[in-house]
């Protein structure tokens, strides 16, 4: 292998002071984190690489939310409910769906992504969040406090941004990484699990699309779609014989989003692979629209109106936090005294290849082992937000500390928004009290979240967070048994 040529960059760049909190990434997690923190009085800057808030829910054209309830009671509260109610009042959710969807049932709803973009702009403006579009977080400065030769705690001093004016260094008291890919955490030296590096395989992404011209009186996804996919695979219609097609989800009168076409082998942490993936994704979107037109009643006039501006990445990088939520926790429906959210979405680890064995594995997990029954849920402990040993850095959204299977549940947008509200509120507690992220009083955090509408049903609270790392954790620490106070959700 030839050695990579290096270039040393030296620049004097402007420093911006005065911020309490910098949030990297304005997807579902980051936007809700920024709103929650700003409402607590933090001077907050939200840095977003694209030109819109909402992440996968808007620029990624994944405009459908599920499992806001577990068919018995609601999972969500706070800002998530506020957003659902506002979309509903504006007539921006799919016909026939309403409050039942976030008050009780697992069956969710599609929504108009443009309406969500506008709503998030308004909520941020009202909370006085400073939003910086077309700006990327590209680097960070971290200081280490050593105790007895050991690295004790680490504190982030600031983040380097790149926008149209060039570079700038933004200093702040607290930082939240909600980039999906743990970009800020990686730059801060947080130990992360990276797909394709720490794992053999990468769950394939999909470039989603928006489709119009669907006659929903005749198109029934649940009834007709899988049979049509199987027929088309047998006919040799597709360029890859992939039986796993989530398909078209209704968002409006004749509109839907198309989630179809796995990009097998695509690596979201490689620019070259990502670039190839975008072109391939657009080709696949066209192929799947042709499939719907040819094979599904009610879809004969389907038109591809747009492909997404943001790649639909399912797995890239996750932080290793003070707690790593595992499949065992999920199966036990474990709850925690310091849980900052509860959730019930089934595990959705997509097929890694087109073999029958992989499809059988996916189906088994999606419909059996990985699917909480009605009334069941699991808890999300505070420690999954906190990179180990950091005083003022949190992760929120898809890049929190979980194993890949649990991530296949809580990476859904409602789960990410709950994590965002918790991270923003924790950052506010840190700025007000000076408590480090890695030793925050979690009783106070849970009580504050409850007063802000969060749905946290645990009876017992704890001032210290649950900590748990798996046996395979890089430092060699062993996973302790069930964390103290953990119990099974009813
Ligand atoms: C194909 C697909 C289908 C899915 N279907 C559903 C579904 O039906 N329902 C559901 O609820 N969930 C679904 N999900 C899951 C869900 O959409 C994501 O997991 C969720 O959006 C993650 O939220 P997030 O806020 O962590 O990240 P994202 O939504 O990815 O948002 C991250 C934001 O950070 C920005 N960003 C990234 N890097 C930087 C940087 N360096 N500087 C500044 N900004 C940056 C991005 O532009 C983006 O706006 C799906 C996911 C995929 C991939």
């Amino acid at each position: 292998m030839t050695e990579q040529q290096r270039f040393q960059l030296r620049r004097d760049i402007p420093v911006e002071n005065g911020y309490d909190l910098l949030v990297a990434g304005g997807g579902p997690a980051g936007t809700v984190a920024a709103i929650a923190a700003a409402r607590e009085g933090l001077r907050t800057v939200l840095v977003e690489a694209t030109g819109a808030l909402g992440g996968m829910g808007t620029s990624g054209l994944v405009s459908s939310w599920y499992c806001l309830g577990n068919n018995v009671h609601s999972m969500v509260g706070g800002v998530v409910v506020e957003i659902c109610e506002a979309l509903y009042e504006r007539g921006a959710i799919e016909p026939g769906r309403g409050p039942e969807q976030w008050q009780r049932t697992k069956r969710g709803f599609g929504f108009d992504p443009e309406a969500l973009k506008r709503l998030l702009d308004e909520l941020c403006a009202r909370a006085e969040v400073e939003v910086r579009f077309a700006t990327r977080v590209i680097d960070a400065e971290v200081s280490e406090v050593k105790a007895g030769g050991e690295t004790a705690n680490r504190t982030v001093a600031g983040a380097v941004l790149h926008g149209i004016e060039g570079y700038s260094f933004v200093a702040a008291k607290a930082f939240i990484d909600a980039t999906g890919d743990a970009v800020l955490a990686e730059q801060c030296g947080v130990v992360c699990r990276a797909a394709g590096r720490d794992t053999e395989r990468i769950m394939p992404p999909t470039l989603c699309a928006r489709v119009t011209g669907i006659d929903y009186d005749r198109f029934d996804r649940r009834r007709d779609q899988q049979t049509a996919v199987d027929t088309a695979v047998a006919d040799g219609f597709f360029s890859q014989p992939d039986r796993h097609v989530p398909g078209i989800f209704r968002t409006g009168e004749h509109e839907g989003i198309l989630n179809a076409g796995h990009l097998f082998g695509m690596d979201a942490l490689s620019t070259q692979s990502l670039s190839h993936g975008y072109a391939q994704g657009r080709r696949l979107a066209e192929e799947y629209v042709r499939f719907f037109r040819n094979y599904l009643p009610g879809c004969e006039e389907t038109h591809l109106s747009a492909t997404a501006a943001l790649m639909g990445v399912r797995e890239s990088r996750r932080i290793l936090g003070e707690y790593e939520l595992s499949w065992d926790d999920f199966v036990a429906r474990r709850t925690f005294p310091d849980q900052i959210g509860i959730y019930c979405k089934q595990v959705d680890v997509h097929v890694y290849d087109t073999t029958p064995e992989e499809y059988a594995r996916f189906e088994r997990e999606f419909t059996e082992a990985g699917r909480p029954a009605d009334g069941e849920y699991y808890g999300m402990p505070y420690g999954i937000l906190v990179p180990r040993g950091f005083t003022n850095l949190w992760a929120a959204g898809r890049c929190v500390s979980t194993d890949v299977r649990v991530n296949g549940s809580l990476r859904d947008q409602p789960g990410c928004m709950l994590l965002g509200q918790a991270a923003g509120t924790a950052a506010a507690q840190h700025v007000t009290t000076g408590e480090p992220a890695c030793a925050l009083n979690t009783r106070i955090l849970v009580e504050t979240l409850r007063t802000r509408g969060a749905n946290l049903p645990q009876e017992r609270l704890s001032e210290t967070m649950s900590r748990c790392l798996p046996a395979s954790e890089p430092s060699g620490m062993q996973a302790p048994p069930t964390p103290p106070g953990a119990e099974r959700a009813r």
Side-chain angles (χ1 to χ4, degrees):
M1 208 170 79
T2 55
E3 205 177 306
Q4 167 90 63
Q5 207 185 340
R6 311 294 295 180
F7 172 75
Q8 200 174 27
L9 182 71
R10 288 218 189 104
R11 291 277 189 280
D12 276 339
I13 63 173
V15 175
E16 301 181 59
N17 285 306
Y19 291 103
D20 293 314
L21 172 66
L22 181 145
V23 181
T31 307
V32 171
I35 292 167
R39 286 178 180 176
E40 300 294 332
L42 297 201
R43 187 174 169 213
T44 303
V45 57
L46 173 58
V47 182
E48 167 51 43
T50 68
L53 299 176
M56 284 303 299
T58 56
S59 305
L61 291 178
V62 176
S63 313
S64 52
W65 294 341
Y66 303 93
C67 293
L68 294 103
N70 65 3
N71 286 340
V72 175
H73 55 84
S74 178
M75 299 289 99
V76 296
V79 184
V80 181
V81 169
E82 214 181 299
I83 290 173
C84 292
E85 285 174 348
L87 287 173
Y88 179 59
E89 277 161 22
R90 293 171 185 209
I93 75 169
E94 125 181 45
R97 302 292 164 84
E100 173 83 344
Q101 263 57 55
W102 48 93
Q103 289 171 0
R104 205 185 69 82
T105 69
K106 286 191 174 184
R107 193 161 190 202
F109 60 90
F111 57 86
D112 173 5
E114 288 304 314
L116 180 61
K117 283 182 195 170
R118 288 195 302 279
L119 174 64
L120 297 178
D121 285 341
E122 287 169 30
L123 290 175
C124 282
R126 229 177 285 152
E128 298 186 19
V129 174
E130 180 187 324
V131 180
R132 285 198 205 175
F133 287 128
T135 307
R136 271 187 179 274
V137 172
I138 57 167
D139 209 336
E141 185 67 20
V142 174
S143 62
E144 297 189 350
V145 181
K146 302 209 175 197
E150 297 278 306
T151 298
N153 285 333
R154 280 175 287 175
T155 298
V156 185
V160 180
L161 312 187
H162 182 261
I164 187 69
E165 296 94 346
Y167 300 118
S168 68
F169 180 83
V170 177
K173 294 174 186 158
F175 296 82
I176 295 175
D177 185 338
T179 58
D181 299 327
V183 175
L184 174 60
E186 170 82 357
Q187 293 304 324
C188 291
V190 172
V191 179
C192 292
R193 296 197 190 280
R197 286 116 183 116
D198 299 310
T199 60
E200 268 177 38
R201 302 185 297 179
I202 306 173
M203 205 191 317
T206 297
L207 190 70
C208 292
R210 194 171 189 179
V211 287
T212 55
I214 299 154
D215 177 357
Y216 284 106
D217 289 337
R218 292 192 301 123
F219 172 56
D220 187 327
R221 191 179 70 84
R222 287 165 181 242
R223 186 191 60 204
D224 297 335
Q225 193 178 276
Q226 192 57 49
T227 312
V229 169
D230 291 344
T231 307
V233 168
D235 290 351
F237 180 90
F238 295 117
S239 54
Q240 50 191 21
D242 181 5
R243 289 191 63 208
H244 183 180
V245 180
I248 290 179
F249 296 82
R250 187 174 192 177
T251 55
E253 202 56 46
H254 297 289
E255 288 196 347
I257 55 148
L258 174 66
N259 175 355
H262 287 122
L263 294 161
F264 293 109
M266 203 214 90
D267 178 359
L269 301 178
S270 148
T271 306
Q272 194 182 24
S273 184
L274 195 55
S275 304
H276 179 71
Y278 273 107
Q280 176 77 350
R282 286 188 277 273
R283 192 189 64 67
L284 282 177
E286 245 178 44
E287 179 176 311
Y288 278 91
V289 167
R290 256 188 292 120
F291 155 72
F292 276 93
R293 290 172 74 113
N294 286 337
Y295 283 86
L296 268 306
C299 295
E300 296 84 353
E301 302 299 322
T302 302
H303 172 69
L304 176 64
S305 72
T307 51
L310 202 59
M311 177 56 72
V313 177
R314 297 190 168 89
E315 189 192 1
S316 54
R317 206 190 273 124
R318 302 184 301 278
I319 66 152
L320 199 67
E322 296 282 358
Y323 196 100
E324 187 173 61
L325 199 63
S326 69
W327 173 247
D328 287 347
D329 295 322
F330 180 91
V331 170
R333 310 285 181 256
R334 195 156 285 150
T335 63
F336 304 85
D338 62 323
Q339 66 196 11
I340 41 76
I342 57 169
Y343 207 39
C344 70
K345 169 82 199 295
Q346 70 270 41
V347 163
D348 188 6
V349 175
H350 280 231
V351 292
Y352 286 92
D353 57 47
T354 58
T355 59
E357 295 75 26
E358 253 306 280
Y359 189 70
R361 190 273 310 152
F362 157 73
E363 266 205 319
R364 207 170 41 246
E365 254 174 28
F366 193 71
T367 57
E368 296 167 22
R371 179 180 285 261
D374 289 357
E376 287 187 345
Y377 60 85
Y378 63 92
M380 306 193 276
Y382 168 71
I384 68 173
L385 307 175
V386 185
R388 284 206 298 143
F390 274 80
T391 63
N392 67 342
L393 176 64
W394 293 261
R398 177 165 65 81
C399 57
V400 298
S401 179
T402 71
D403 71 19
V404 73
R405 283 195 282 188
V406 179
N407 208 261
S409 164
L410 64 63
R411 72 184 160 84
D412 261 34
Q413 292 164 53
C416 289
M417 289 189 278
L418 296 176
L419 296 166
Q421 180 158 4
T425 310
Q429 185 173 325
H430 161 76
V431 169
T432 311
T433 65
E435 292 163 11
C438 55
L440 202 82
N441 183 323
T442 46
R443 182 180 59 74
I444 292 175
L445 176 64
V446 169
E447 284 169 350
T448 309
L449 284 166
R450 281 176 173 166
T451 62
R452 306 295 183 260
N455 185 3
L456 299 173
Q458 66 266 39
E459 281 171 19
R460 201 175 73 76
L461 303 186
S462 162
E463 295 196 346
T464 54
M465 75 168 101
S466 312
R467 285 188 165 83
C468 182
L469 292 165
S472 61
E473 196 275 328
S475 74
M477 279 178 67
Q478 293 298 304
T482 304
E487 51 197 35
R488 192 183 158 85
R490 290 173 293 278

